[in-house]
Amino acid sequence: KIIRLLETQLVRHGVMVVGLTLIGKSTNITVLSKALSSLRKKKSDDPSHQSTKIFSLNPKSITMEELYGFSNLMTGEWTDGLVAILVREAVSQGGESKKWVVFD
C-alpha cells in the first residue's frame, strides 16, 4: 500500500487515502513521509525522494466555518479557516521539501 501511495502521489497534485477505521491509513502516510525524508538525508539521487513535513488536522473536531472559513454577513469581512491557514503556512516555509496537509 505504501508503494501504491508513493506512485499515486508522484503523478497527482492531491491524493485521498480512504478506508475503514484502523486499517493503517495514517500509518502508511507517516511511514512514507519518514522513508522519503530518510532517503533524502542519505543523499539519494532519485528526485522523488524529498524530505516531507506533515500538517495534520482533524476535520471532525471543528465546525465547517472553522475548517473552511466564513464571511460575516454584516460587514462582508472574510475570516480564514484552518485549511487556508495550514496551506498558507506550508507554502510560506518554502524550500525543496514536500508539504502534506493531512485531514485525519
Side-chain angles (χ1 to χ4, degrees), residues 33 35-38 40 46-52 96-98:
S33 173
L36 291 173
S37 295
S38 176
R40 182 64 175 177
D46 190 327
S48 67
H49 298 161
Q50 297 291 324
S51 61
T52 60
E96 291 184 13
S97 67
K98 300 284 184 180

Side-chain angles (χ1 to χ4, degrees), residues 21-70:
T21 304
L22 297 174
I23 62 169
K25 299 177 298 290
S26 299
T27 302
N28 283 345
I29 292 167
T30 303
V31 168
L32 179 57
S33 173
K34 288 180 180 181
L36 291 173
S37 295
S38 176
L39 288 167
R40 182 64 175 177
K41 285 180 186 173
K42 293 178 181 179
K43 307 292 186 206
S44 171
D45 293 331
D46 190 327
S48 67
H49 298 161
Q50 297 291 324
S51 61
T52 60
K53 179 168 182 178
I54 295 176
F55 296 84
S56 190
L57 167 68
N58 179 356
K60 292 182 180 180
S61 67
I62 57 178
T63 66
M64 293 293 279
E65 290 81 15
E66 291 170 323
L67 184 61
Y68 294 112
F70 63 93

Side-chain angles (χ1 to χ4, degrees), residues 67-97:
L67 184 61
Y68 294 112
F70 63 93
S71 179
N72 183 320
L73 297 177
M74 299 297 275
T75 65
E77 182 179 325
W78 176 259
T79 301
D80 283 337
L82 288 176
V83 173
I85 293 168
L86 279 177
V87 170
R88 190 177 299 115
E89 182 181 338
V91 170
S92 71
Q93 289 188 359
E96 291 184 13
S97 67

